[in-house]
Structures are given as structure tokens and as C-alpha cells.
């Protein structure tokens, strides 16, 4: 097993340049005043397919050989990785099969089908998507591109934090949403090279704190599929690669409640006119937990994506307050 390094992030960045959007860095004076800190949001909700996952998917698909491209790719995903693989495959004329949960958000299923991918559904509470994926890959010769535990995927995801550091300079702290750890491990590699003093925090939904348990216990902890509105972080465990990078390069893993996520979503919409999905609020909610320690500091927060069904969004926001209410 060869653990990815920052050089792989650099290679990925060259390879996917021109295909991925350089996403904007966004700030709020209100937030900076209230936190007495300088906060920089990296807006991956403005990435193609609406989430950072296009970076890793594009890097992985562009590295395939001609022979592999002919056979096609397969991926399992609750949503954004599915869309990312479907679009990356389409851009290279590669056939794509995507395994999605029956209860995946309708918008994400429709978008994936819209990119021309073949969709296979499974029950996320009773069936094992990794097993289904491996079986189909073996049967048809597809290349399986996992959503996080793959060196090319990790390297691609790291290009978002790389852009952030290049644009705003070194940071005191970086807060990153955590599911299976592709985004966090790539971001940590970028931080270690571009801003060595930066503390890197992964933030999980409290219902699914397997990453925190793994980080503390020193081995990968598996949990049942957690119940949380953060559908992009309903992962059951970190990966071998992501855990190896996280263990060495991340400072701590925090957890937040679904309510805190919605309050952040509310603030981002009301004050910054940003539509982000619940999972994308993990980093922001984690930063608010640490607000006392962030006074006077320069802070980066990755907003990982913006794919949320508008009816669900409205329902979630209804009756909540924004996260700066006090
Ligand atoms: C996939 C995803 C995450 C979690 O990323 P990992 O690499 O699995 O940790 C966070 N936010 C959004 C929007 C996602 O799609």
C-alpha cells in the first residue's frame, strides 16, 4: 500500500486543470466581526456537479488506460461521487455504472442518470454496496472507483485545499467535513506542505462518529449506517488509505449535531446567499465549536457541496434559527 503524498496532489492539480472549476473563496464581515477571526470559506458548492467530488473522480478517470476506458467504470455512492464519476466518465467517453441507495436524494439520482450513467439501486440498511460493486466489477471487467479510499481520489480532493492556501496564504486552522475521509486526507496533505503550522480538523455528524473513534482508538472502527441529515457523511468507516493519512496529518476530529448543521445552513443562506447541503456545513459547525480558540486567528472552512433538493432544504430550514442567533 503506497500512501499518497502532497506530490500526488500536485500531479492531480496539473491533470485536472481546465476540467475542474477553481472555486471561489467567500467571506462574511458579519461572521468575522462576531467570531473576531478571519474566516475563509472554500465554495465547493460551485464545483462542477455541485461538490468537490468531481476533483477526485476526474483525477481517477483521467488516469485510466485506454483498455480500462473501453471496459468502463463502476462506483457506489449515496450521491455526489455518483454524479462526479458519471460526468467524468462522460467527458472521456467511458461507460459508467453507479450503485446508489434506494433512498438517495431524488435530485442526485436524476442528475446521475442525466450524465448517461447506468444506475443500479440497493438497500443501504441491509445490503453491502462494496460487495455488490466488487462482484459487478469482477464479472464485467469494470474498474471500480471508490468514493474515498483510493490514492487518486484522495489526491484529487486535496486540490481544493491547495487552491485555498494558494489564494489566502497560510492559515491557523482548517475545518473539513468528514465522511470516509477522502476530502480530509487530501486537505491535510495540502495543509502539511503549504501551511505547516495549520491545525487540521475533521468534522463528522455526531450520530456517525466512527472517524473520531478510530482517531482516538488507533484502529479503524466500523459502525452501522448512521441516521443523520448529512447524507454525504453516512459512511460506516474510514478507508485504509484515508485512515493512514488522517492518523499522521490531522490534529483532531470533532462532531456536531444535525441541528447545528441546519443552523449553519440557515446562516449561509441568509447572510452569504449560499445554498449548501447539510453535509457541507460540517466544517462550519465544527469551527463554531472552537470559536473561543479561534479569536484573532485565520481560519479556513471547506463548504463541500450544494446538492440539496429544494423542498428538503426548505423543510430543514423552516423553524430553525441561524447559527449566530446569540
Ligand atoms: C462525500 C462528501 C463529503 C465527505 O467526503 P469524504 O471524502 O467521504 O470524507 C462531504 N461533503 C459532501 C458534500 C460530500 O459529497
Amino acid at each position: 500500500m503506497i500512501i499518497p503524498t502532497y506530490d500526488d496532489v500536485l500531479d492531480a492539480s496539473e491533470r485536472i486543470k481546465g476540467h475542474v472549476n477553481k472555486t471561489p473563496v467567500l467571506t462574511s464581515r458579519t461572521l468575522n466581526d462576531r467570531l473576531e477571526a478571519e474566516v475563509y470559506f472554500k465554495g465547493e458548492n460551485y464545483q462542477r456537479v455541485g461538490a468537490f467530488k468531481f476533483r477526485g473522480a476526474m483525477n481517477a478517470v483521467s488516469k485510466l488506460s485506454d483498455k480500462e476506458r473501453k471496459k468502463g467504470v463502476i462506483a457506489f455512492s449515496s450521491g455526489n461521487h455518483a454524479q462526479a464519476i458519471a460526468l467524468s466518465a462522460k467527458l472521456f467517453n467511458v461507460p459508467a455504472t453507479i450503485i446508489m441507495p434506494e433512498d438517495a436524494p431524488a435530485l442526485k439520482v436524476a442528475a446521475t442518470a442525466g450524465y448517461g450513467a447506468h444506475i443500479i439501486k440497493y438497500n443501504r440498511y441491509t445490503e453491502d454496496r462494496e460487495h455488490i460493486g466488487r462482484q459487478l466489477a469482477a464479472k464485467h471487467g469494470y474498474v471500480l472507483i471508490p468514493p474515498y479510499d483510493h490514492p487518486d481520489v484522495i489526491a484529487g480532493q486535496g486540490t481544493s485545499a491547495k487552491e485555498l492556501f494558494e489564494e489566502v496564504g497560510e492559515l491557523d486552522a482548517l475545518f473539513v467535513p468528514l465522511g470516509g475521509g477522502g476530502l480530509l486526507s487530501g486537505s491535510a496533505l495540502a495543509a502539511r506542505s503549504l501551511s505547516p503550522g495549520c491545525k487540521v480538523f475533521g468534522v463528522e455528524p455526531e450520530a456517525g462518529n466512527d472517524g473520531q473513534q478510530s482517531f482516538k482508538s488507533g484502529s479503524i472502527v466500523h459502525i452501522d449506517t448512521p441516521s443523520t441529515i448529512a447524507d454525504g457523511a453516512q459512511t460506516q468507516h474510514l478507508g485504509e488509505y484515508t485512515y493512514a493519512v488522517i492518523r499522521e496529518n490531522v490534529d483532531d476530529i470533532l462532531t456536531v449535531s444535525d441541528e447545528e448543521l441546519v443552523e449553519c445552513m440557515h446562516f449561509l443562506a441568509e447572510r452569504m446567499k449560499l445554498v449548501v447541503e447539510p453535509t457541507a456545513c460540517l466544517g462550519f459547525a465544527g469551527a463554531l465549536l472552537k470559536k473561543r480558540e479561534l479569536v484573532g486567528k485565520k481560519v479556513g472552512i471547506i463548504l463541500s457541496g450544494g446538492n440539496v433538493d429544494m423542498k428538503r432544504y426548505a423543510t430543514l430550514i423552516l423553524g430553525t434559527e441561524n447559527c449566530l442567533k446569540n
Side-chain angles (χ1 to χ4, degrees), residues 208-261:
N209 73 334
D210 60 286
Q212 188 181 54
Q213 291 183 48
S214 307
F215 192 75
K216 287 198 173 131
S217 71
S219 64
I220 300 173
V221 171
H222 291 240
I223 58 168
D224 290 337
T225 301
S227 225
T228 165
I229 59 166
D231 53 82
Q234 281 184 307
T235 40
Q236 293 172 287
H237 54 85
L238 299 177
E240 303 281 337
Y241 291 98
T242 58
Y243 175 67
V245 175
I246 288 168
R247 192 181 49 194
E248 294 297 318
N249 300 286
V250 167
D251 292 277
D252 205 1
I253 295 180
L254 315 171
T255 63
V256 299
S257 67
D258 281 2
E259 191 183 334
E260 288 167 316
L261 293 179

Side-chain angles (χ1 to χ4, degrees), residues 51-53 80 147-148 177-184 232 235 277 279-280 304-305:
F52 73 91
K53 291 241 175 37
N80 287 333
Y148 52 86
L178 171 60
L183 182 63
L184 178 59
T235 40
E277 60 187 278
T279 316
S304 49

Side-chain angles (χ1 to χ4, degrees), residues 27-91:
T27 58
S28 158
R29 279 204 189 113
T30 305
L31 182 66
N32 288 350
D33 287 348
R34 290 291 291 276
L35 296 185
E36 297 173 61
E38 248 178 274
V39 178
Y40 298 93
F41 289 100
K42 180 68 167 162
E44 290 300 310
N45 50 321
Y46 292 115
Q47 187 50 264
R48 291 180 79 177
V49 312
F52 73 91
K53 291 241 175 37
F54 186 61
R55 296 173 180 271
M58 202 57 201
N59 189 42
V61 172
S62 65
K63 284 186 80 171
L64 297 176
S65 67
D66 287 346
K67 200 174 147 207
E68 288 170 323
R69 285 182 193 184
K70 274 210 190 79
K71 291 265 188 187
V73 294
I74 185 165
F76 43 82
S77 167
S78 57
N80 287 333
H81 178 63
Q83 293 176 62
I85 289 292
L87 177 59
S88 305
K90 183 185 156 96
L91 294 174

